[in-house]
Amino acid sequence: MNLSVGIVGLPNAGKSTLFNALLKKQVAFAANYPFATIEPNVGIVPVPDARLEKLAEIVENEITSPRGAGLAMTKKVPRVPATVKFVDIAGLVAGASKGEGLGNKFLAHIREVDLICQVTRSFTDPEVIHVAGEVNPQRDEKIIETELILADLQTLEKQPEPFGFAQGKPQGKTTLDDFKRWEVILKLKQELNNGKPAREVVTDPQEIELIRDLHLLTMKLVLQVVNVSENDLQNANAHNAPVPPLTLRGGQGELRENELGHQGIPESSSGQTLKQVQDDNMVVISAKIESELSSLSESEQKEYLESLGLQESGLERLIKKAYERLGLISFLTAGEKEVRAWTITRGTYAPKAAGVIHTDFEKGFIKAEVISFNDFVSLGGWAKAREQGKIRLEGKEYIMQDGDVVDFKINA
């Protein structure tokens, strides 16, 4: 899978700090002044998956061979997680759609990603400059969304009316599909001018296909990431207290006014606990904490998180949520060579999934031996699962499920 996540935000929202923490090293130049990032930085990030360790332990037990008096020699089986590509994109400012700041580069780079990870800052720091003066995550989010809408309107304005549309009859090479496409474009122009993103306007699969070639920015999926202070995150988690005022966007909130440039902001999530907010299309995170965690060993990270009352890092939540928002799931393979999580889109049929491992596997697909992860673990591996008849034989019409442990049978 070549899907990618673009980390987007106003300058100094903390996006480059998050990106560096994702990769556990300094890749993006994070500074306390605007436009430290100009060209996008790209990193391949593993998707946290505790199931791999369990699978590896079972496989290693299965292949253990006797050695001496009661001793055993165990082969270490590699664990290979699924991955997601993250892109740190240049910061955006008001007027980007007209070329302000690095607007043109920003818009070009964001067209190439599949999910927009929109970072807004929700804390003050006298050492970190904010381009708009005061810290206001709702305003920052509105700036980004407005600039994307304005860029899409520019794209739509360039589209010519199909011949014969005014007369109600296709002329020349114009087709009925051209008419349908134009009707979608007209609907988009009206709603985008009312401040509504394209993804909320065009939801019918056939209409989406008609305008796919336009690559509209506001058709892209959005995941909101709110960068809060260490104290806000720790206090909200420790006491299950309300998080600081945040915004609920990415398809979760409704605009209260319709005039573009004067949109209302969706109701604040002030009063919601950290868990409630993160159940929506939003991840609350402290970039500073994540940066500190990235420099620690695994045991030190665990200890630090426990001291904060957290079970997992914000980056783990972010990666998992991005994977989910992209409509991705993982099937698993478990053998002596490796245990591995393979990425597919939800709804993928078994032969197509086999083709992810190797293209020849799709062509030569015969059947798939499938067992759920939980059953595989409880039974103790392939051998015992086969003995108890718990392995299912699935054919070409089987739709893969997240956590399926699979052994594909291929015609050589």
Side-chain angles (χ1 to χ4, degrees):
M1 301 297 296
N2 295 317
L3 300 182
S4 60
V5 180
I7 302 180
V8 173
L10 270 64
N12 295 336
K15 60 184 184 57
S16 292
T17 301
L18 283 178
F19 181 80
N20 287 331
L22 280 166
L23 270 65
K24 302 186 186 301
K25 58 185 178 180
Q26 183 77 16
V27 175
F29 182 45
N32 66 345
Y33 53 83
F35 308 122
T37 301
I38 297 177
E39 294 301 324
N41 300 290
V42 180
I44 305 299
V45 178
V47 178
D49 196 335
R51 297 175 299 192
L52 294 178
E53 189 61 33
K54 287 282 188 183
L55 288 182
E57 290 174 3
I58 290 170
V59 172
E60 287 167 356
N61 287 334
E62 283 191 315
I63 61 176
T64 298
S65 58
R67 184 190 177 197
L71 299 177
M73 180 173 63
T74 303
K75 175 182 177 182
K76 188 72 173 177
V77 175
R79 289 81 159 151
V80 185
T83 58
V84 175
K85 182 166 77 171
F86 277 82
V87 183
D88 178 32
I89 298 174
L92 171 145
V93 295
S97 58
K98 299 177 182 178
E100 294 291 334
L102 297 172
N104 292 332
K105 284 193 174 186
F106 171 91
L107 297 173
H109 294 147
I110 202 172
R111 290 188 195 280
E112 299 173 5
V113 302
D114 302 282
L115 170 67
I116 299 173
C117 180
Q118 189 167 295
V119 182
T120 53
R121 179 173 144 202
S122 184
F123 66 92
T124 57
D125 186 337
E127 296 183 4
V128 181
I129 301 165
H130 195 291
V131 292
E134 62 179 12
V135 171
N136 185 326
Q138 292 97 333
R139 177 211 54 216
D140 295 349
E141 183 186 336
K142 185 172 75 169
I143 288 173
I144 295 172
E145 180 113 294
T146 298
E147 292 304 322
L148 298 185
I149 286 175
L150 290 171
D152 282 349
L153 283 169
Q154 289 179 8
T155 298
L156 295 173
E157 290 300 333
K158 295 175 183 177
Q159 304 306 306
E161 179 180 305
F163 291 114
F165 185 81
Q167 292 76 31
K169 184 177 181 181
Q171 296 180 15
K173 295 182 179 180
T174 302
T175 66
L176 287 175
D177 275 349
D178 292 330
F179 273 23
K180 292 177 183 177
R181 181 175 184 273
W182 184 245
E183 287 170 351
V184 176
I185 288 173
L186 292 177
K187 177 171 66 174
L188 279 167
K189 284 182 179 180
Q190 178 179 340
E191 295 299 335
L192 263 65
N193 271 304
N194 289 336
K196 201 170 186 180
R199 62 181 168 274
E200 295 178 11
V201 178
V202 182
T203 57
D204 180 86
Q206 292 182 336
E207 290 188 348
I208 291 173
E209 198 58 40
L210 287 171
I211 60 163
R212 189 177 298 280
D213 64 310
L214 297 178
H215 304 290
L216 298 178
L217 299 176
T218 60
M219 277 298 293
K220 294 182 182 294
L221 298 167
V222 173
L223 175 62
Q224 298 292 337
V225 178
V226 182
N227 183 13
V228 301
S229 70
E230 296 170 276
N231 288 337
D232 282 339
L233 184 65
Q234 188 172 359
N235 291 338
N237 183 73
H239 305 293
N240 201 31
V243 294
L246 305 172
T247 178
L248 289 178
R249 287 296 295 156
Q252 297 296 318
E254 291 295 330
L255 297 176
R256 290 198 296 268
E257 294 176 30
N258 286 330
E259 187 178 353
L260 186 61
H262 300 281
Q263 299 104 315
I265 298 298
E267 292 295 341
S268 166
S269 62
S270 178
Q272 289 187 288
T273 65
L274 185 62
K275 181 182 185 304
Q276 289 171 327
V277 170
Q278 294 185 151
D279 284 342
D280 295 307
N281 277 335
M282 180 182 288
V283 176
V284 179
I285 202 167
S286 168
K288 189 173 182 181
I289 288 177
E290 300 306 323
S291 181
E292 292 170 353
L293 281 169
S294 67
S295 64
L296 302 177
S297 67
E298 189 172 333
S299 60
E300 289 172 330
Q301 286 184 23
K302 185 177 181 181
E303 185 178 337
Y304 186 19
L305 287 170
E306 286 177 353
S307 72
L308 298 173
L310 299 170
Q311 293 184 337
E312 60 182 353
S313 72
L315 290 181
E316 288 179 305
R317 298 194 305 273
L318 170 59
I319 297 165
K320 289 177 182 178
K321 182 67 77 171
Y323 201 68
E324 175 189 316
R325 286 288 284 144
L326 286 167
L328 302 177
I329 61 172
S330 297
F331 72 88
L332 310 166
T333 54
E336 293 186 23
K337 182 180 178 182
E338 65 181 17
V339 295
R340 183 164 182 162
W342 301 87
T343 301
I344 54 175
T345 55
R346 191 173 297 279
T348 297
Y349 287 96
K352 196 76 175 177
V356 172
I357 298 176
H358 195 288
T359 52
D360 289 344
F361 284 15
E362 182 177 0
K363 299 174 187 175
F365 178 88
I366 298 175
K367 60 185 177 182
E369 291 187 334
V370 183
I371 182 172
S372 72
F373 168 77
N374 289 335
D375 285 345
F376 188 88
V377 171
S378 64
L379 293 168
W382 287 115
K384 292 180 181 177
R386 288 191 174 99
E387 285 175 10
Q388 297 189 32
K390 296 297 184 180
I391 305 292
R392 309 190 314 272
L393 292 179
E394 302 288 0
K396 294 182 178 180
E397 299 304 312
Y398 177 68
I399 297 176
M400 302 292 292
Q401 302 299 309
D402 184 60
D404 278 346
V405 184
V406 189
D407 184 14
F408 291 108
K409 301 303 178 183
I410 307 300
N411 183 359

